[in-house]
Amino acid sequence: MSNELFRACPESGLQFHKPAELLMRSNAVLAVVILLFGGVMALLVTLTRWPAVHLLPADRFYQMLTLHGVNMLIFWIITFEIALLYFCSSTLLRCRLATPKIAWLGFALMLTGIIVNNAAVLNGDASVMMTSYVPMPANPNFYLGLILFAVGALLGCFVFLGTLVIAKEEKTYEGSIPLVTFGALTACIIAVFTIASGAVILIPTYLWSIGYINNIDAAMYRLVWWALGHSSQQINVAAHVSVWYAIAAIVFGARPLSEKVSRTAFFLYIAFLQLASAHHLLVDPGLSSEWKIFNTSYAMYLAVLASMVHGLTVPGSIEVAQRAKGYTNGLFQWLRKAPWGNPVFSGMFLSLIGFGFIGGISGVVMGTEQINIIIHNTIYVPGHFHATVVIGTTLAFMSLTYFLIPTLFRKQVMLPGLARIQPYLFGGGMMVFTMAMMGAGTLGVQRRHFDMAFTDAVIGFDYPASAYTFMGIVGISGVAAVIGGAIYILVTVLSVFLGKPVGSESSYGFTTSTLMRAEPVAVPDGGHAAAGKWGFAAPGTFLLAIFFLAIFVLYYAVNWKYLASVWPMS
Amino acid sequence: MSAIQPPAETIWWKQPLDRVEGTWIGIALVWSLFMFFMMPIWHIYGKQNLSNEAYRTTPQAYMAKTQAMVNQYTIRTETAANLPVVRPPPGSDVYLLGRLWQWWPLLELEKGQSYRLHISSMDWQHGFSLQPVNINTQILPGYEMVMTITPDTAGDQTIICNEFCGLGHHNMTGKIYVVEGGQ
């Protein structure tokens, strides 16, 4: 191992392999560029669905919505995740990255795929939404771009796996891989499954679009496509839960409550998350109720159980660390005294709350076989997944970025005042946005729909005034969140390209030492339960979890009651 | 060691469970199983369940069946496009088709009566969304979905397409009138 290939980060104690560092930087920068592009589309789409503004004409709206979906749900997140995979393997294991050249080939394929796919949509003949449901035809390059991107991402996954092998072989760590790397491995395994499913459906669809296959069955397409479409969001869950654990470790020096529980919960993701394809098929013809019930419940909700476990153990580990530092008064002093002005922490905690309370509960409720009848394809659905993917994943990645700027990019975080408020503006805006969407969806407002007033329809329909109010709130809070997203991009781009190096005398922005506590907290005498109450190591977190469960139960019951009010059907 | 470092104990799987974790896992597992069994229970005791009845079909075959019903039971036409309004007898098979960009024909059903409603698509994927009662299902070309519905509220219901189906998607609507029996 030659030393000039490695750079130690003195403040964080992390060690970067230089070829890996350049790859992480490139993937992260590309991801942020895509986020900017997708964010512009987000603004245009929001301003069109805001009834009082109704900005774009119909064809532009559907085109921009397609671009927004593909760029945000696939390109932005997966590109950032590739950077994350390299970080969790090469950096956390202090190991050289396997085959950097293959990793660059993957990067080139991903970039090419992004350009090819976006060009097809911009060309105007591929406004088919991210789902591109057959037999609605799209420009063949739409599928080709996705395939190229997927192959590139798959190479990234293999480089990650190869790095794990090298680290074990060269004994760069002792014992087991860190929990965060284990979570990244979970994400990688789900990613391989996802990409394989994508290949199984997108390659035939591409051949169909250029005339080599004459028919793709619509039901089969949906079944296989969603093994790509939903599972790709499960990569995100595994990735952002890993980021939560990482940030708890970075900001608080927190250690997992127990490795066993957290790792088993990740394993449940691998075992069951891929069944989620069924969530999209609950009101499809041709599938039996038995199939729907087993699959939509992730096999008796064992993957939901896993998320509920992470939802306890991440804040629980923070509580234990804070209590060990002396914040032991009452149930919530540990939380009150948390560094709410540190965007690495505040973003992560809002991500956790939003993902659990809004995205998690709504996802389980609408994934109930019968309740889906009153929710399928209404705007409730994007309400749900903006809570999981935007508040959960994107906000977690944003907060991690504030840590990566000084450590990976060696720059101070510029505009610290703006960086401080950014998670609140973005996360808060998205929380209002998602709940307003769910409100509108409950009133039957549709997703992917240009005109809720039905101005040009032969047969019109009037939504109640409250539906318009909800969509107005969607517009306003959506714009607030877009401003929050713009601040993130501004801070990131300014810091990375024009920022002061971390070592320079004038410390204008955040540096590692203000964002991080590098030393792990020591376990107090008598085990970490000693600093808690009732024999619980994290009593405050437990109370929060019970509060979460109460809301969950209540909301679940309300939706069954609503379902019972619609026409009897069998 | 923290979560970004290897576990301090190499035999980490023997570390005993914290009480806070064990308790929460127990509670969460009970809740998960409860939610799972709610679905089969609703199939037995609940009144809103989607049927599992569906058939493969073709646009031509399905069109023929729908046309036959329209020929037999049309009671009036509406709108400038002269869309037929069909009032099939209670208990009968009712055919509805989705195509770019309309739901055809318009239906008139009696409150409190049951109908076997068939739905299919002539072209692309569509979404059947009945508003304001709020019933939503996916409609696929090549598949004929059959469900027994019992309208229990009188009044107008609008069918809105809620699966994106191209440029006219937002104008794709239809109608189900629910009238009191004997009217």
Side-chain angles (χ1 to χ4, degrees):
Chain A
M1 205 191 297
S2 77
N3 277 334
E4 59 267 30
L5 274 178
F6 284 87
R7 162 179 81 72
C9 174
E11 297 87 2
S12 64
L14 295 170
Q15 184 176 301
F16 290 91
H17 176 229
K18 285 178 185 166
E21 183 179 25
L22 191 58
L23 276 157
M24 285 179 230
R25 288 183 178 185
S26 306
N27 277 285
V29 168
L30 175 61
V32 171
V33 171
I34 300 162
L35 183 70
L36 169 62
F37 186 61
V40 173
M41 307 307 153
L43 183 64
L44 295 173
V45 169
T46 304
L47 289 177
T48 307
R49 295 245 37 183
W50 184 349
V53 181
H54 212 221
L55 181 71
L56 299 175
D59 55 345
R60 281 280 170 218
F61 169 73
Y62 292 127
Q63 184 184 30
M64 294 303 136
L65 187 53
T66 304
L67 284 175
H68 173 65
V70 178
N71 282 298
M72 292 304 213
L73 280 170
I74 298 184
F75 298 151
W76 138 250
I77 293 182
I78 293 187
T79 307
F80 195 92
E81 276 160 356
I82 295 295
L84 212 54
L85 286 184
Y86 297 160
F87 179 82
C88 290
S89 53
S90 169
T91 307
L92 292 187
L93 299 178
R94 302 171 162 272
C95 173
R96 66 187 172 89
L97 191 78
T99 61
K101 280 185 183 153
I102 301 280
W104 280 113
L105 176 64
F107 180 79
L109 280 169
M110 286 164 68
L111 180 58
T112 312
I114 292 166
I115 293 169
V116 168
N117 176 280
N118 274 292
V121 183
L122 285 169
N123 191 41
D125 53 357
S127 300
V128 292
M129 304 294 140
M130 183 183 92
T131 45
S132 59
Y133 285 139
V134 299
M136 189 195 307
N139 182 325
N141 285 342
F142 179 87
Y143 314 108
L144 184 64
L146 287 174
I147 293 166
L148 291 174
F149 179 84
V151 173
L154 192 60
L155 291 180
C157 290
F158 290 151
V159 169
F160 168 79
L161 294 172
T163 306
L164 294 192
V165 172
I166 290 177
K168 188 156 188 71
E169 197 78 0
E170 296 183 353
K171 298 193 170 51
T172 63
Y173 64 96
E174 281 178 27
S176 305
I177 55 175
L179 177 62
V180 170
T181 308
F182 190 85
L185 176 60
T186 302
C188 176
I189 291 170
I190 299 174
V192 172
F193 168 83
T194 300
I195 293 168
S197 306
V200 168
I201 196 63
L202 287 174
I203 292 172
T205 306
Y206 173 66
L207 295 174
W208 166 76
S209 72
I210 57 175
Y212 284 116
I213 291 179
N214 62 22
N215 180 48
I216 303 254
D217 183 86
M220 184 276 290
Y221 178 92
R222 290 170 60 80
L223 179 70
V224 185
W225 193 91
W226 278 112
L228 159 75
H230 204 109
S231 303
S232 64
Q233 309 317 315
Q234 316 290 17
I235 310 171
N236 307 340
V237 175
H240 76 230
V241 171
S242 306
V243 169
W244 294 346
Y245 279 114
I247 288 175
I250 289 164
V251 176
F252 298 96
R255 60 182 74 228
L257 289 180
S258 93
E259 297 277 353
K260 179 168 55 180
V261 168
S262 298
R263 284 172 200 244
T264 307
F266 274 122
F267 177 73
L268 288 176
Y269 282 166
I270 299 175
F272 298 115
L273 272 183
Q274 79 284 7
L275 305 182
S277 194
H279 292 171
H280 303 263
L281 314 173
L282 293 175
V283 294
D284 274 29
L287 297 164
S288 73
S289 289
E290 293 83 352
W291 185 91
K292 288 173 180 173
I293 290 172
F294 183 80
N295 286 280
T296 193
S297 70
Y298 296 113
M300 299 192 277
Y301 290 111
L302 291 177
V304 172
L305 177 71
S307 286
M308 288 172 77
V309 168
H310 291 307
L312 177 92
T313 56
V314 173
S317 70
I318 293 174
E319 177 173 355
V320 168
Q322 288 281 78
R323 283 179 183 276
K325 264 182 268 179
Y327 298 120
T328 52
N329 283 350
L331 285 170
F332 296 110
Q333 192 196 22
W334 64 274
L335 192 56
R336 280 200 313 277
K337 296 288 185 184
W340 293 101
N342 175 351
V344 179
F345 167 73
S346 63
M348 169 263 159
F349 208 81
L350 290 175
S351 160
L352 178 93
I353 296 293
F355 179 79
F357 280 82
I358 308 176
I361 292 177
S362 66
V364 173
V365 166
M366 74 179 196
T368 305
E369 191 210 3
Q370 294 94 338
I371 292 176
N372 194 253
I373 295 170
I374 54 174
I375 290 176
H376 178 73
N377 271 358
T378 65
I379 204 163
Y380 189 103
V381 178
H384 154 73
F385 72 70
H386 279 78
T388 56
V389 177
V390 184
I391 306 179
T393 310
T394 297
L395 185 53
F397 290 179
M398 285 174 169
S399 40
L400 185 69
T401 308
Y402 294 121
F403 170 73
L404 292 178
I405 290 171
T407 48
L408 175 62
F409 290 94
R410 308 294 297 149
K411 295 288 174 65
Q412 297 180 23
V413 179
M414 300 264 284
L415 309 174
L418 279 178
R420 214 184 282 275
I421 61 160
Q422 189 272 333
Y424 296 98
L425 187 57
F426 186 76
M430 284 315 292
M431 285 182 187
V432 176
F433 176 86
T434 52
M435 287 192 283
M437 269 191 173
M438 291 178 197
T442 305
L443 297 170
V445 177
Q446 312 298 352
R447 71 184 290 199
R448 298 177 165 178
H449 201 277
F450 169 68
D451 185 13
M452 70 184 286
F454 300 97
T455 316
D456 297 327
V458 176
I459 299 162
F461 179 70
D462 293 321
Y463 281 109
S466 49
Y468 283 89
T469 307
F470 276 127
M471 292 308 290
I473 297 172
V474 166
I476 294 165
S477 55
V479 170
V482 166
I483 294 170
I487 292 174
Y488 164 78
I489 290 170
L490 182 72
V491 169
T492 305
V493 170
L494 274 184
S495 306
V496 167
F497 293 105
L498 303 169
K500 293 194 178 71
V502 277
S504 67
E505 284 298 308
S506 67
S507 57
Y508 168 69
F510 286 128
T511 56
T512 316
S513 55
T514 49
L515 297 170
M516 178 176 190
R517 180 197 157 90
E519 287 302 306
V521 169
V523 179
D525 294 336
H528 45 227
K533 288 186 193 317
W534 322 314
F536 282 3
T541 304
F542 187 75
L543 206 65
L544 286 177
I546 294 296
F547 175 62
F548 166 81
L549 185 69
I551 291 183
F552 198 164
V553 172
L554 190 68
Y555 189 67
Y556 186 70
V558 163
N559 275 275
W560 278 111
K561 185 144 175 55
Y562 177 23
L563 175 71
S565 74
V566 312
W567 291 357
M569 50 196 293
S570 58
Chain B
M1 302 297 251
S2 77
I4 53 173
Q5 291 153 328
E9 303 160 56
T10 33
I11 315 291
W12 48 263
W13 54 90
K14 288 201 173 159
Q15 182 195 337
L17 223 57
D18 262 328
R19 184 194 272 185
V20 65
E21 285 181 302
T23 312
W24 177 244
I25 290 170
I27 294 171
L29 184 63
V30 169
W31 174 237
S32 295
L33 291 173
F34 175 82
M35 291 193 297
F36 174 73
F37 286 111
M38 244 338 258
M39 291 187 278
I41 287 170
W42 194 265
H43 272 278
I44 300 166
Y45 298 107
K47 290 199 170 68
Q48 292 78 16
N49 288 289
L50 205 57
S51 84
N52 289 321
E53 194 177 346
Y55 304 95
R56 280 193 183 277
T57 185
T58 61
Q60 296 75 18
Y62 192 79
M63 182 73 214
K65 287 198 271 191
T66 310
Q67 188 67 55
M69 177 196 71
V70 169
N71 293 344
Q72 199 173 356
Y73 296 119
T74 297
I75 52 169
R76 61 177 187 274
T77 59
E78 283 187 358
T79 74
N82 278 328
L83 294 173
V85 181
V86 176
R87 184 168 180 174
S92 68
D93 288 280
V94 181
Y95 296 88
L96 175 73
L97 60 84
R99 61 188 173 197
L100 305 172
W101 285 287
Q102 64 174 193
W103 294 99
W104 189 86
L106 312 188
L107 302 171
E108 186 168 296
L109 307 178
E110 276 182 33
K111 181 185 165 186
Q113 300 288 344
S114 295
Y115 298 85
R116 276 169 55 80
L117 177 63
H118 300 235
I119 319 177
S120 187
S121 164
M122 294 295 100
D123 34 58
W124 296 348
Q125 300 195 20
H126 296 291
F128 170 89
S129 179
L130 196 62
Q131 299 295 341
V133 69
N134 202 11
I135 292 172
N136 306 276
T137 69
Q138 188 78 21
I139 307 303
L140 306 179
Y143 289 84
E144 177 177 347
M145 182 186 241
V146 189
M147 55 179 145
T148 301
I149 56 163
T150 313
D152 61 1
T153 48
D156 292 7
Q157 298 287 339
T158 303
I159 310 169
I160 299 167
C161 181
N162 74 355
E163 185 54 78
F164 173 68
C165 58
L167 265 185
H169 163 57
H170 48 278
N171 295 326
M172 179 170 168
T173 49
K175 208 88 194 174
I176 296 182
Y177 298 102
V178 182
V179 297
E180 298 287 347
Q183 276 182 8

